[in-house]
């Protein structure tokens, strides 16, 4: 908790209790690069994503080891272009300002009925902290345990398909981390899409 407070103070210039009306110091979600906390500002519910400290250095170390290993396995074949692409994408994912831009791009351009993409609060977002609107709903596992009808399953599957198809052919930009944790099954047949770090 002390570390979370310190990161927010370093990034936003104030401790969380001064940035938000309420802030839950216990995370409600985690990701490979950070964890997510619930906060409010007035009537607005927020998701505050905080990057683990030192993650960039850790990734650089991992990439160095991977580079060493790949060169041994490749046995003379040039694999540097592959590693270069991996490093570029991972460095983008570590930068929450890029993720904020990606999220806003999809929110403004991926116009599909019943697909919800969170709003970014730019004034509270930095390279290491990302604040978006909080999307309420079920995880895929919770949704499937609720014994949904075939019609409901088809509806959500169609939304996921449409979002990918429109992104590829319409926007020429792909949400490249379509794991189940990045979809939120909301009320009224709406589907939330989150985590735009890898695009």
């Amino acid at each position: 908790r002390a570390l979370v407070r310190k990161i927010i103070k370093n990034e936003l210039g104030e401790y969380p209790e001064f940035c938000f009306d309420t802030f839950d110091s216990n995370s409600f979600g985690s990701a490979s690069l950070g964890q997510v906390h619930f906060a409010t500002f007035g009537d607005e519910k927020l998701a505050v994503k905080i990057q683990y400290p030192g993650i960039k250095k850790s990734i650089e170390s991992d990439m160095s080891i991977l580079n060493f290993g790949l060169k041994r396995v490749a046995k003379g074949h040039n694999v540097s272009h592959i590693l270069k692409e991996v490093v570029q994408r991972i460095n983008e994912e570590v930068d929450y300002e890029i993720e904020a831009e990606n999220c806003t791009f999809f929110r403004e351009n991926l116009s599909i009925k019943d697909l919800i993409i969170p709003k970014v609060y730019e004034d509270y977002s930095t390279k290491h902290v990302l604040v978006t609107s909080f999307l309420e709903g079920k995880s895929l596992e919770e949704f499937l345990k609720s014994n949904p009808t075939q019609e409901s399953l088809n509806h959500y599957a169609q939304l996921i398909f449409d979002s990918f198809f429109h992104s590829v052919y319409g926007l020429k930009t792909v949400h490249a981390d379509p794991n189940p944790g990045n979809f939120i099954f909301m009320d009224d047949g709406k589907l939330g899409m989150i985590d735009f770090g890898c695009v």
Side-chain angles (χ1 to χ4, degrees), residues 91-161:
N91 281 333
E92 287 172 4
E93 198 162 355
V94 174
D95 188 336
Y96 284 176
E97 288 176 337
I98 292 175
E99 182 173 348
E101 289 173 10
N102 292 339
C103 187
T104 299
F105 171 82
F106 276 91
R107 180 178 167 87
E108 292 174 353
N109 295 286
L110 192 58
S111 302
I112 296 174
K113 184 180 180 294
D114 293 331
L115 185 71
I116 308 298
I117 294 169
K119 171 187 172 185
V120 173
Y121 290 80
E122 292 179 9
D123 292 345
Y124 294 93
S125 298
T126 68
K127 279 190 180 294
H128 306 291
V129 173
L130 176 63
V131 179
T132 66
S133 51
F134 176 76
L135 303 186
E136 294 186 67
K138 297 181 176 80
S139 67
L140 175 62
E141 186 179 3
E142 291 168 334
F143 170 67
L144 294 176
K145 283 182 178 175
S146 71
N147 198 25
T149 64
Q150 187 62 52
E151 183 182 12
S152 182
L153 291 168
N154 292 347
H155 170 75
Y156 284 111
Q158 188 67 55
L159 279 175
I160 292 169
F161 175 83

Side-chain angles (χ1 to χ4, degrees), residues 150-183:
Q150 187 62 52
E151 183 182 12
S152 182
L153 291 168
N154 292 347
H155 170 75
Y156 284 111
Q158 188 67 55
L159 279 175
I160 292 169
F161 175 83
D162 289 348
S163 70
F164 184 78
F165 191 89
H166 183 68
S167 295
V168 171
Y169 292 102
L171 304 180
K172 306 287 193 271
T173 308
V174 181
H175 178 269
D177 190 8
N179 77 69
N182 290 338
F183 293 102

Side-chain angles (χ1 to χ4, degrees), residues 14 21 41 88 138 156 167:
E14 294 284 358
D21 290 341
F41 193 76
Q88 285 175 338
K138 297 181 176 80
Y156 284 111
S167 295

Side-chain angles (χ1 to χ4, degrees), residues 5-16 18-19 126:
R5 284 172 52 77
K6 181 180 177 184
I7 292 170
I8 289 180
K9 175 75 164 71
N10 288 345
E11 293 295 312
L12 303 182
E14 294 284 358
Y15 288 111
F18 299 112
C19 295
T126 68

